[in-house]
C-alpha cells in the first residue's frame, strides 16, 4: 500500500497495529481473504476519519475492524447455508509465530490453541455477537468494559454474553495436546503413513473415534459428510492420497498450520491442500482437510519453495 506524504502519519500508526487487526478479523471470520478485505476497509475509514479526538489508536482501530468484521460475518452466515458439504475455516500458515514462542512451550501451545482450525470450527456455532465477545475477551484479553466499547453494548450485557459464549465453547472445544514435540512426531508419522499407503501405521496414529472433515466446497474432491472411526478415516486417506504419490508436480511438506504442525501441499506451485490435525494424548482425534481452492489463500504460492 502506498500513500501520499500527508498520509505517512496515519499509515505509520495503522501499520503498527496491522497484524493485530488481521488477527481480530480472521478470528471473527475464519477467512483469510475476508480478513484482508476488512483490514483494507479499516484503513480506508482510518485514513478518512477525523482523528483529532482519538486518544488510543489501537482501541479505535480494533473497534472499526471488529464492527466491519461483524457486518461481514452476518452476511457470510446466509451464504454458508447453501455451501456444498462441510464448511471449514480457511487455513493459515503461521510459521511466522514460531520465533516468538521459541523456548516457551506454554506460549507455543497457547498460540496453537488460539488460532487452531478446530477452535474456529467451534466458534462457527456461536452467534456473531457471541463470537465477537469471545474472541475479543478470551483470545485477545480485552476487558469487559473494552469489549462493551467496541460493540456499543453495556458492560453488563457483555458479561452475560461472555459467560454464555465461554460455556458453549468449553463444552465443545476439542482436547488439545500442549506438547508440541508430540504433535510434530505424530504429524510426521501421519504423513509417512499416508505417503507410504501404510494403513496399519495410520491406524496406530489415529484415536479409535477419530473424525475426518473435508471441505471441497463443490470445487474439489471431498467427502460430503464427516467420516467417523479410525478404520474408515484411514482407508479414506490412503485412497485419496494414493493418486498423488509420485506426482512430480506435487510438493508436500510439514508446516505450521494455524499454530500447530500440519501437512500442506502445492501443485505446480499453486496451493492444493491443507491438513490440520487435532492431537491429544499422542494420537489424532480430528483430521481437518481443506481442498476448496478458494480457501487456500493463506498458504501462498511462494511458500511452496519454503
Amino acid at each position: 500500500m502506498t500513500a501520499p506524504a500527508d498520509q505517512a502519519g496515519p499509515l505509520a500508526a495503522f501499520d503498527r497495529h496491522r497484524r493485530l487487526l488481521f488477527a481480530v478479523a480472521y478470528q471473527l471470520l475464519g477467512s483469510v481473504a475476508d480478513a484482508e478485505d476488512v483490514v483494507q476497509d479499516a484503513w480506508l475509514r482510518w485514513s478518512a476519519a477525523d482523528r483529532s479526538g482519538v486518544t488510543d489508536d489501537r482501541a479505535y482501530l480494533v473497534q472499526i475492524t471488529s464492527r466491519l468484521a461483524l457486518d461481514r460475518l452476518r452476511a457470510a452466515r446466509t451464504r454458508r447455508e447453501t455451501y456444498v458439504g462441510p464448511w471449514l475455516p480457511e487455513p493459515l500458515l503461521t510459521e511466522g509465530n514460531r520465533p516468538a514462542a521459541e523456548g516457551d512451550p506454554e506460549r507455543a501451545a497457547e498460540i496453537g490453541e488460539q488460532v487452531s482450525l478446530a477452535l474456529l470450527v467451534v466458534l462457527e456455532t456461536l452467534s456473531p455477537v457471541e463470537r465477537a465477545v469471545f474472541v475479543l475477551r478470551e483470545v485477545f484479553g480485552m476487558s469487559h468494559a473494552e469489549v462493551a466499547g467496541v460493540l456499543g453494548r453495556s458492560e453488563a450485557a457483555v458479561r452475560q454474553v461472555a459467560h454464555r459464549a465461554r460455556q458453549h465453547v468449553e463444552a465443545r472445544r476439542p482436547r488439545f495436546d500442549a506438547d508440541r514435540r508430540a504433535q510434530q512426531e505424530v504429524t510426521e508419522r501421519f504423513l509417512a503413513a499416508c505417503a507410504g499407503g501404510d494403513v496399519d501405521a495410520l491406524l496406530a496414529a489415529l484415536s479409535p473415534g477419530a473424525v475426518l472433515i473435508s471441505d471441497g466446497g463443490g470445487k474439489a474432491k471431498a467427502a460430503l459428510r464427516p467420516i467417523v472411526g479410525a478404520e474408515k478415516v484411514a482407508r479414506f486417506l490412503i485412497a485419496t492420497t494414493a493418486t498423488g504419490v509420485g506426482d512430480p508436480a506435487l510438493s508436500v511438506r510439514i508446516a505450521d498450520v494455524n499454530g500447530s504442525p500440519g501437512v500442506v501441499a502445492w501443485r505446480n506451485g499453486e496451493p492444493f491442500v491443507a491438513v490440520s490435525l487435532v492431537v491429544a494424548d499422542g494420537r489424532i482425534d480430528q483430521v481437518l482437510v481443506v481442498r476448496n481452492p478458494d480457501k487456500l489463500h493463506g498458504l501462498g504460492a511462494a511458500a511452496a519453495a519454503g
Side-chain angles (χ1 to χ4, degrees):
M1 181 188 299
T2 59
D6 62 351
Q7 291 291 308
L11 181 56
F14 188 86
D15 278 343
R16 281 197 298 273
H17 305 294
R18 185 184 296 273
R19 291 186 67 180
L20 169 65
L21 302 181
F22 174 83
V24 169
Y26 176 67
Q27 288 277 357
L28 287 175
L29 294 165
S31 166
V32 174
D34 284 349
E36 289 172 345
D37 287 346
V38 163
V39 172
Q40 177 64 19
D41 289 346
W43 156 250
L44 293 175
R45 295 204 178 191
W46 168 253
S47 62
D50 177 3
R51 297 176 299 278
S52 59
V54 176
T55 57
D56 186 337
D57 293 352
R58 179 181 181 275
Y60 185 84
L61 286 166
V62 168
Q63 180 181 79
I64 292 174
T65 301
S66 299
R67 290 178 177 177
L68 287 169
L70 263 177
D71 289 343
R72 193 171 284 248
L73 179 59
R74 292 186 178 105
R77 286 295 174 92
T78 302
R79 295 196 303 272
R80 289 173 193 173
E81 291 174 2
T82 59
Y83 195 79
V84 178
W87 188 95
L88 288 175
E90 289 187 22
L92 179 66
L93 284 185
T94 51
E95 290 172 305
N97 283 331
R98 292 182 63 182
E102 287 294 332
D104 187 351
E106 290 185 4
R107 177 59 180 153
E110 180 185 346
I111 290 172
E113 189 165 15
Q114 284 180 356
V115 299
S116 72
L117 281 189
L119 177 59
L120 292 178
V121 169
V122 174
L123 296 186
E124 282 295 310
T125 64
L126 297 173
S127 72
V129 171
E130 287 173 338
R131 182 168 183 164
V133 170
F134 182 88
V135 167
L136 295 175
R137 172 74 183 136
E138 301 296 329
V139 178
F140 293 100
M142 294 175 65
S143 69
H144 291 104
E146 288 173 319
V147 176
V150 168
L151 300 180
R153 297 186 171 226
S154 70
E155 186 174 341
V158 165
R159 286 183 180 276
Q160 288 183 336
V161 173
H163 178 71
R164 186 169 65 245
R166 186 167 54 251
Q167 284 188 319
H168 183 98
V169 171
E170 290 302 327
R172 293 162 178 79
R173 187 198 297 263
R175 294 185 306 149
F176 185 87
D177 202 327
D179 187 339
R180 183 179 176 87
R181 188 171 300 172
Q183 293 178 35
Q184 180 75 21
E185 180 185 332
V186 172
T187 304
E188 290 171 356
R189 288 196 285 122
F190 170 86
L191 178 56
C194 288
D198 191 336
V199 174
D200 291 337
L202 196 49
L203 284 171
L206 297 166
S207 65
V211 177
L212 181 146
I213 302 174
S214 55
D215 179 344
K219 299 185 177 184
K221 280 189 176 182
L224 293 178
R225 293 180 181 82
I227 297 173
V228 182
E231 187 167 344
K232 290 181 179 179
V233 170
R235 296 197 180 281
F236 176 85
L237 285 167
I238 295 298
T240 53
T241 57
T243 56
V245 175
D247 183 350
L250 201 64
S251 171
V252 183
R253 68 180 175 92
I254 293 175
D256 260 32
V257 179
N258 288 71
S260 300
V263 178
V264 292
W266 295 262
R267 173 167 280 161
N268 293 319
E270 293 300 317
F272 180 69
V273 66
V275 181
S276 182
L277 305 175
V278 177
V279 177
D281 300 327
R283 301 183 84 177
I284 300 167
D285 281 344
Q286 290 185 28
V287 182
L288 306 176
V289 183
V290 179
R291 287 284 319 276
N292 184 345
D294 294 341
K295 290 188 169 186
L296 297 176
H297 306 284
L299 299 189

